[in-house]
Amino acid sequence: ELKVEQNPLFLSMQEGKNYTIYCNYSTTSDRLYWYRQDPGKSLESLFVLLSNGAVKQEGRLMASLDTKARLSTLHITAAVHDLSATYFCAVAKIQGAQKLVFGQGTRLTINP
Amino acid sequence: GAGVSQTPSNKVTEKGKYVELRCDPISGHTALYWYRQSLGQGPEFLIYFQGTGAADDSGLPNDRFFAVRPEGSVSTLKIQRTERGDSAVYLCASSLKSEPGLARNEQFFGPGTRLTVL
């Protein structure tokens, strides 16, 4: 059974600092997604990572994938308040139905 | 173009009642998914459709839950004899296709229906 674990689950940080959210998954997968969710809102797609060593960057966020370690990271550089949200990673099974298995989410709070 | 839409945005019902939740996917998307998100948790898969047929319904918690997509576009999630534990946000997503090995297969989520069972 595919399991996805994120850590930390809660993260409070100051503006201007750097930090990393980790996403581990238990079985082989061929794609990994990062989503952002604001309170009371739906999921916004941030990154799709498809291959080992993939790195994607958008603004202050950078995501990477290591399929051998079954690990993805979401790195935040010089955080700003607008990045406060809950971040989810999700993994699709390599064959069969393309349902996503989500991590528990990381609630990120960035303080001025 | 328009994104995934879901109606109603909020639904309050009493225990034992029947509810229907509607999802309108992005035009041209053949794959449609339903997820359920409880407070403070990540979404959990319920069912997915490729076209009109349910290709995987392994996430439906029991036989009170049923979903249809009769014309391969709009889908309705139906919950019979609702229980308080069914309270959650029900999310619908769609993707262009759903095939193993397809490069992106990215799922786009709707705003959700918040179901409260009293």
Side-chain angles (χ1 to χ4, degrees):
Chain A
E1 182 187 352
L2 175 57
K3 293 186 185 297
V4 181
E5 291 189 351
Q6 288 181 235
N7 72 85
L9 299 183
F10 298 92
L11 179 56
S12 181
M13 54 193 292
Q14 287 188 316
E15 280 191 328
K17 300 292 186 182
N18 303 332
Y19 210 80
T20 301
I21 299 170
Y22 297 89
C23 174
N24 288 92
Y25 53 98
S26 60
T27 63
T28 303
S29 172
D30 60 356
R31 65 202 68 208
L32 186 141
Y33 303 82
W34 283 97
Y35 287 90
R36 168 182 172 148
Q37 188 175 40
D38 291 294
K41 305 293 185 183
S42 190
L43 298 163
E44 174 191 352
S45 179
L46 295 174
F47 300 109
V48 181
L49 301 170
L50 301 174
S51 60
N52 188 41
V55 177
K56 297 277 185 75
Q57 182 161 6
E58 181 73 33
R60 301 175 188 274
L61 300 178
M62 183 173 71
S64 65
L65 178 62
D66 181 344
T67 58
K68 294 180 180 178
R70 298 178 187 160
L71 170 69
S72 179
T73 61
L74 181 66
H75 187 73
I76 303 145
T77 301
V80 293
H81 179 69
D82 286 351
L83 290 179
S84 297
T86 299
Y87 293 85
F88 291 96
C89 65
V91 177
K93 295 179 73 172
I94 197 163
Q95 289 186 350
Q98 294 295 291
K99 63 184 182 185
L100 296 180
V101 178
F102 283 81
Q104 313 95 305
T106 297
R107 185 176 296 179
L108 174 63
T109 303
I110 299 169
N111 304 304
Chain B
V4 178
S5 62
Q6 293 185 245
T7 54
S9 56
N10 281 284
K11 177 70 177 179
V12 180
T13 191
E14 294 180 342
K15 181 175 178 294
K17 298 291 187 183
Y18 167 83
V19 296
E20 290 189 352
L21 312 178
R22 176 188 167 109
C23 171
D24 210 327
I26 293 171
S27 178
H29 280 194
T30 60
L32 185 147
Y33 311 77
W34 284 98
Y35 293 84
R36 178 168 72 174
Q37 186 175 25
S38 300
L39 191 63
Q41 302 295 318
E44 293 180 310
F45 170 79
L46 295 176
I47 185 171
Y48 116 88
F49 291 87
Q50 181 61 43
T52 60
D56 183 350
D57 64 357
S58 62
L60 294 178
N62 51 59
D63 61 6
R64 296 187 297 107
F65 288 74
F66 189 71
V68 295
R69 195 186 185 199
E71 298 178 359
S73 178
V74 171
S75 176
T76 304
L77 179 65
K78 307 179 181 191
I79 310 174
Q80 298 178 319
R81 305 184 303 280
T82 52
E83 299 178 356
R84 292 192 180 89
D86 299 335
S87 297
V89 175
Y90 289 81
L91 295 167
C92 176
S94 70
S95 67
L96 193 58
K97 289 184 181 180
S98 182
E99 297 173 4
L102 189 67
R104 286 188 60 86
N105 210 40
E106 189 173 359
Q107 295 180 26
F108 297 88
F109 283 80
T113 294
R114 182 175 299 276
L115 175 66
T116 303
V117 182
L118 301 176

